[in-house]
Amino acid sequence: MRISGFLLLGLALGAAAPGAAAADRKACLSQDERRAVIASHKAVPLGRAISVVKARIGGDVVKAQLCRQERGLVYLLTVLAQSGKVTQARVDAADGQWLDGS
């Protein structure tokens, strides 16, 4: 049951803004790029960003991306709350500080 919920969530998020999703993917790092950035200490590990988000808003992180934005590298996290509400959160990848969430 839980897996089907994640599949539905993914489909809903993908269908909501296909143009925006394509633009986000271009600015987001690939798995190899993420590893290199973290290894060179230009970004904190993903686990630290997830800890920040869980402490701030709780829920389960269902998607995480490391992307380039105007302010630099940012983790974009999609969080599924216990209530079923989907929330987007941003964490500064350079220092692991909370930026915002909706």
Side-chain angles (χ1 to χ4, degrees), residues 29 32-46 48 66 73 75 92-96:
L29 281 61
D32 289 337
E33 290 171 320
R34 284 192 310 266
R35 285 186 187 135
V37 167
I38 292 168
S40 66
H41 303 287
K42 293 179 183 173
V44 299
L46 175 60
R48 183 166 166 193
L66 180 56
L73 291 171
Y75 279 108
D92 189 319
D95 60 11

Side-chain angles (χ1 to χ4, degrees), residues 9-38:
L9 172 65
L11 290 173
L13 291 174
D24 285 344
R25 270 186 254 125
K26 290 179 185 175
C28 294
L29 281 61
S30 70
Q31 185 174 358
D32 289 337
E33 290 171 320
R34 284 192 310 266
R35 285 186 187 135
V37 167
I38 292 168

Side-chain angles (χ1 to χ4, degrees), residues 2 6 50-51 53-62 78-85 87:
R2 187 174 178 108
F6 287 131
I50 290 173
S51 295
V53 169
K54 285 185 167 235
R56 185 77 178 226
I57 59 177
D60 294 319
V61 175
V62 295
T78 302
V79 183
L80 179 62
Q82 294 291 335
S83 65
K85 180 181 176 188
T87 303

